[in-house]
Amino acid sequence: MIATDALQFKSVQYSGQQAGTRLIVTGAVHGNETCGTQAITRVMQQLDSGALTIRKGSVTFVPVANPLAYAKGERSGERNLNRNLFPNPNPQDFEDRVANWLCPLLAQHEVLLDLHSFNAASEPFAMVGPRNNDGPLEPFKHEQQERAMARRLGVRRFVDGWLRTYGAGVQRRLRDDSQLETVLRYGMGTTEYMRSTGGYALTLECGQHADPQAPEVGYRAIVNTLAFLGLIDAPSPQPIADEAMEALSMVAVYDKQHAGDSFSRAWSSFDPVRQGELIGTRADGTPVLAEFDGRILFPDAAAGANSEWYYLTRANPGF
């Protein structure tokens, strides 16, 4: 049993002598996703040794955003930190106390790079925010800068549409009896919170949890971001070419309605599906078929009843 009152929060800031962008880089928002922690530690060692130097602006590193989950080696401490991420004047769990520290820290910055990993074997990808809009769900004005940064992280695959798709699932589970505020709160993670403060943010999924290359993906993304934002003296990395990238939009989330619902096979994120293809079978024998050609995302065979089971994406030629 881990004594939560013995845990503490850590951030380290490096500032240049000239004005510039305020960047924050976070790792281990989920405690079993350690590639970000390893990548951040490597960059900090280079900054401490003088191999890298921050010339303009500042960068704040949070090697372990959720120390309880990290100590347990599990995704969550007492709940998922990357949902319902808001300051809470009456904290109910450890993640609420993390949020009370982390959210004000995020708000002091302009740009966030949040490093994660995933369960099933697949290639790295970045989650990006919405188009510029003044709508009620996720108003945003930094689309051009955010997507330009995404194309310089060193990955070729990009996914958008998270909050609107996740939110539609929340509304459905609540039998359409929900308020928009409920959707916003439960879909709000690090990047969504950063955008809500007026900044922009990217989630980089660096690879499978145990992939030895995942920390290298995270490291390269940090250094590329430092160069792109002008924090270090290095040429800005070239954006990935249009013909080399794959952009996808999340379109729909499908729920596991009963514990006995099962997949037709062991799906991995980004496996292609064809319209009408069998994805799984409901507990009563009803087949679950793909509604359109696309790719599956975040399939969760261990999902509980009445929770998200998998997402479907389709190509986004307008990225």
Side-chain angles (χ1 to χ4, degrees):
M1 191 71 176
I2 298 169
T4 58
D5 59 359
L7 298 172
Q8 57 190 354
F9 307 126
K10 175 183 177 180
S11 64
V12 179
Q13 185 176 87
Y14 299 82
S15 296
Q17 297 184 35
Q18 302 179 52
T21 303
R22 300 186 305 276
L23 169 69
I24 183 168
V25 183
T26 50
V29 165
H30 296 131
N32 62 335
E33 301 176 13
T34 62
C35 59
T37 305
Q38 296 174 61
I40 288 170
T41 300
R42 180 179 172 188
V43 175
M44 288 173 56
Q45 288 171 344
Q46 292 187 323
L47 288 164
D48 290 339
S49 72
L52 287 175
T53 302
I54 301 301
R55 301 292 186 185
K56 297 179 180 179
S58 65
V59 58
T60 300
F61 291 108
V62 180
V64 178
N66 190 335
L68 177 58
Y70 187 79
K72 293 169 63 179
E74 297 176 1
R75 181 175 174 82
S76 302
E78 295 177 348
R79 67 169 178 85
N80 187 348
L81 178 62
N82 221 23
R83 303 283 189 276
N84 196 20
L85 184 70
F86 286 93
N88 188 334
N90 184 29
Q92 300 298 306
D93 51 44
F94 184 78
E95 276 74 9
D96 282 351
R97 294 191 286 277
V98 177
N100 285 343
W101 164 73
L102 183 59
C103 289
L105 185 62
L106 291 173
Q108 295 169 19
H109 297 80
E110 298 167 282
V111 184
L112 164 67
L113 176 62
D114 189 21
L115 302 175
H116 288 253
S117 58
F118 46 81
N119 188 46
S122 188
E123 71 175 89
F125 66 98
M127 299 281 289
V128 303
R131 297 288 189 186
N132 287 339
N133 72 94
D134 295 317
L137 183 62
E138 195 177 15
F140 192 53
K141 62 180 181 180
H142 298 299
E143 172 196 337
Q144 183 176 358
Q145 301 97 307
E146 187 178 273
R147 296 188 181 209
M149 179 173 141
R151 293 179 64 159
R152 289 164 171 85
L153 293 180
V155 299
R156 69 171 195 94
R157 183 173 273 162
F158 310 94
V159 180
D160 69 7
W162 157 255
L163 191 57
R164 68 170 184 264
T165 309
Y166 177 81
V170 172
Q171 287 184 307
R172 182 178 63 245
R173 289 176 213 114
L174 294 175
R175 309 285 193 280
D176 294 321
D177 197 23
S178 63
Q179 300 287 327
L180 178 62
E181 180 69 15
T182 300
V183 175
L184 283 170
R185 290 195 72 87
Y186 285 95
M188 188 71 72
T190 53
T191 51
E192 292 77 23
Y193 188 84
M194 189 69 189
R195 295 185 193 109
S196 78
T197 69
Y200 61 96
L202 294 169
T203 295
L204 177 61
E205 298 280 357
C206 298
Q208 197 275 337
H209 298 321
D211 186 344
Q213 285 302 306
E216 178 67 29
V217 172
Y219 168 79
R220 183 178 64 224
I222 296 171
V223 174
N224 283 3
T225 298
L226 292 173
F228 173 66
L229 296 176
L231 273 66
I232 59 174
D233 286 338
S236 180
Q238 290 297 308
I240 186 170
D242 289 346
E243 60 271 19
M245 62 182 281
E246 181 180 28
L248 301 165
S249 284
M250 298 174 73
V251 176
V253 57
Y254 299 86
D255 292 347
K256 199 173 196 180
Q257 298 173 355
H258 187 278
D261 295 352
S262 61
F263 284 131
S264 60
R265 65 179 181 86
W267 293 100
S268 293
S269 283
F270 302 108
D271 282 345
V273 297
R274 304 291 295 178
Q275 183 176 3
E277 184 175 352
L278 181 67
I279 292 179
T281 304
R282 298 293 183 191
D284 64 2
T286 303
V288 179
L289 307 177
E291 294 184 331
F292 52 85
D293 293 351
R295 292 185 183 273
I296 198 167
L297 190 63
F298 303 142
D300 185 2
N306 299 313
S307 61
E308 53 197 292
W309 195 20
Y310 67 94
Y311 290 79
L312 284 185
T313 70
R314 59 162 49 111
N316 176 16
F319 186 90

